[in-house]
């Protein structure tokens, strides 16, 4: 059995996350000190191998050092140090709205394309946050969809580590036009930021609507603030897939007993959280002060959203014409139900990408009617 105690207990700083209607800021994770977890940028040693599967995609499996990947491929605990999933996300594009993504990190090299920048005079990369999010999506050994493509949509100003609503909206428009140039590639927009905790922001609501109309799912972080997620923009925009962070902890206050899933400390809560995914001390790509590649432990819903974007890529790989509503329905239906404690909601859904029995396959309305004899 692997428990949370096997993962280094590093205290991570959490950024301020309250924005205003005029500005959006990252606020979903900060890294521990560079190099605490490892000085090697690539950490997994086992290769992928194939099994028989129930679908057209082969079931892939590899030993993993990522407890996050280990958690989302199985319904129950304890963990087994293995990541099993169908597909790799090949042919799917994830637009990462952030502060810049490294093109050279071994976890991502060859699969990152520079896209739009709201601040073209800025350095290409403000900090490691965007690289970590992209790594959760598509890292070679630490990401959910290790062959998905990343497009860097930079909406953060490096000096202030803030972005503007206009930058996000312009980035969304650019994304839609870029997606039109690659019509064969299904796409997802990952928004690991929050902009307001008291009201909706009409400009962001409209951007979400436009992205969805273009066939692009919008997956957003719930935010690292202990309030009702229904109050948080852009997650309160219609049609977003809102992701909270889960933690794997010991049930006993003395740190003994079996591990359980719990809402991570400080994570927004409530019925507007569509899915939970690991977001407490998760191992992901990072950058040192000189921007050399490393891996670190990260906290926050930014990383959780990245894992869900990767799961969407796995689905879109074999369902490239799926609408954003179909993607959301699939992720909700296949999630593991009601295992996350303290969700402050009548229900909770833990992201699941592992093998499913035939009985666990998501059903269409037509399937349900046939079974009912209608």
């Amino acid at each position: 059995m692997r428990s949370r105690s096997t993962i280094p207990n590093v205290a991570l700083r959490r950024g301020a996350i309250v924005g205003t209607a005029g500005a959006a800021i990252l606020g979903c994770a900060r890294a521990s000190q560079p190099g605490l977890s490892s000085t090697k940028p690539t950490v997994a040693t086992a290769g992928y191998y194939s099994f028989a599967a129930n679908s057209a995609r082969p079931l892939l499996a590899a030993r993993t050092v990522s407890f996050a990947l280990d958690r989302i491929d199985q319904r129950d605990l304890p963990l087994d140090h293995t990541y099993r999933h169908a597909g790799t996300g090949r042919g799917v594009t994830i637009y990462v709205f952030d502060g810049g993504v490294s093109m050279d990190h071994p976890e991502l090299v060859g699969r990152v394309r520079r896209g739009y920048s709201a601040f073209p005079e800025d350095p290409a990369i403000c900090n490691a946050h965007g690289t970590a999010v992209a790594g959760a999506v598509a890292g070679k050994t630490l990401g959910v969809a290790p062959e998905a493509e990343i497009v860097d949509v930079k909406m953060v100003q490096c000096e202030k580590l803030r972005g503007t609503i206009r930058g996000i909206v312009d980035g969304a428009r650019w994304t839609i036009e870029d997606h039109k140039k690659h019509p064969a590639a299904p796409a997802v927009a990952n928004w690991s930021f929050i902009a307001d905790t008291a009201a909706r922001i009409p400009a962001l609501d409209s951007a979400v609507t436009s992205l969805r109309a273009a066939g692009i799912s919008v997956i957003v972080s719930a935010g690292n603030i202990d309030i009702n997620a229904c109050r948080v923009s852009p997650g309160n925009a219609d049609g977003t897939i809102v992701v909270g962070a889960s933690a794997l902890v010991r049930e006993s206050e003395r740190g003994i007993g079996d591990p359980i899933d719990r809402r991570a400390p400080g994570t927004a809560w409530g019925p507007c959280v569509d899915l939970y995914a690991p977001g407490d001390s998760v191992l992901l790509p990072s950058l040192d002060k000189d921007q050399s590649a490393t891996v670190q432990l990260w906290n926050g819903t930014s990383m959780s959203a990245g894992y869900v974007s990767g799961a969407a890529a796995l689905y879109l790989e074999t369902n490239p014409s799926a609408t954003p509503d179909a993607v959301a329905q699939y992720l909700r239906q296949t999630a593991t139900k009601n295992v996350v404690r303290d969700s402050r909601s009548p229900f909770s859904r833990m992201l699941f990408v592992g093998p499913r029995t035939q009985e666990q396959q998501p059903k269409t309305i037509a399937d349900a009617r046939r079974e009912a004899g209608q």
Side-chain angles (χ1 to χ4, degrees), residues 240-325:
T240 56
I241 300 172
V242 181
V243 186
S246 67
L248 198 59
V249 300
R250 295 288 186 182
E251 186 169 11
S252 168
E253 292 182 359
R254 295 180 296 170
I256 59 176
D258 294 331
I260 60 170
D261 299 296
R262 185 179 293 277
R263 178 174 62 93
T267 294
W269 42 262
C272 289
V273 176
D274 294 294
L275 293 157
Y276 283 88
D280 181 70
S281 297
V282 291
L283 188 65
L284 288 169
S286 192
L287 302 170
D288 282 326
K289 291 181 179 179
D290 63 357
Q291 296 202 350
S292 60
T294 186
V295 293
Q296 295 179 323
L297 298 178
W298 290 81
N299 279 359
T301 56
S302 284
M303 310 304 141
S304 307
Y307 291 128
V308 173
S309 290
L314 297 184
Y315 175 67
L316 286 167
E317 181 181 1
T318 52
N319 299 273
S321 61
T323 65
D325 283 342

Side-chain angles (χ1 to χ4, degrees), residues 40 50 83 85 140 228 247:
K40 297 180 180 180
S50 297
Y83 175 44
H85 57 104
K140 180 180 179 181
N228 190 328

Side-chain angles (χ1 to χ4, degrees), residues 183-203:
V188 172
N190 187 99
W191 284 15
S192 285
F193 59 85
I194 69 171
D196 199 287
T197 59
R200 301 173 73 108
I201 299 180

Side-chain angles (χ1 to χ4, degrees), residues 25-206:
I25 58 177
L26 298 179
C28 297
R30 286 192 181 180
S32 58
Q33 296 177 6
L36 277 177
S37 304
S38 172
T39 58
K40 297 180 180 180
T42 302
V43 294
T45 58
Y48 287 102
Y49 54 94
S50 297
F51 292 93
N54 290 327
S55 68
R57 295 178 294 176
L59 180 64
L60 307 173
R63 299 288 287 176
T64 183
V65 297
S66 168
F67 92 87
L69 298 183
D70 196 356
R71 180 65 193 94
I72 63 176
D73 79 332
Q74 58 188 71
R75 298 290 185 188
D76 302 309
L77 297 169
L79 305 179
D80 63 2
H81 306 277
T82 303
Y83 175 44
R84 301 176 182 85
H85 57 104
T88 61
R90 179 186 289 271
V92 181
T93 300
I94 313 295
Y95 293 90
V96 175
F97 285 59
D98 215 287
V101 177
S102 172
M103 301 180 70
D104 303 319
H105 199 291
E107 284 283 321
L108 298 166
V109 67
R111 292 182 293 114
V112 178
R113 173 164 60 90
R114 289 273 179 260
Y116 170 81
S117 176
F119 304 96
E121 303 303 318
D122 256 9
I125 300 173
C126 295
N127 57 22
H129 186 276
T131 299
V133 171
V137 177
K140 180 180 179 181
T141 65
L142 298 175
V144 176
E147 293 188 340
E149 302 289 329
I150 299 294
V151 177
D152 178 12
V153 181
K154 185 173 179 293
M155 37 65 67
V156 173
Q157 185 178 26
C158 292
E159 182 179 359
K160 298 180 180 180
L161 286 181
R162 296 173 68 91
T164 63
I165 300 302
R166 178 175 178 176
I168 299 166
V169 171
D170 288 348
R173 290 175 180 148
W174 179 91
T175 295
I176 292 167
E177 292 305 312
D178 185 73
H179 181 52
K180 290 178 182 177
K181 299 174 185 177
H182 307 88
V188 172
N190 187 99
W191 284 15
S192 285
F193 59 85
I194 69 171
D196 199 287
T197 59
R200 301 173 73 108
I201 299 180
L204 294 186
D205 294 352
S206 295

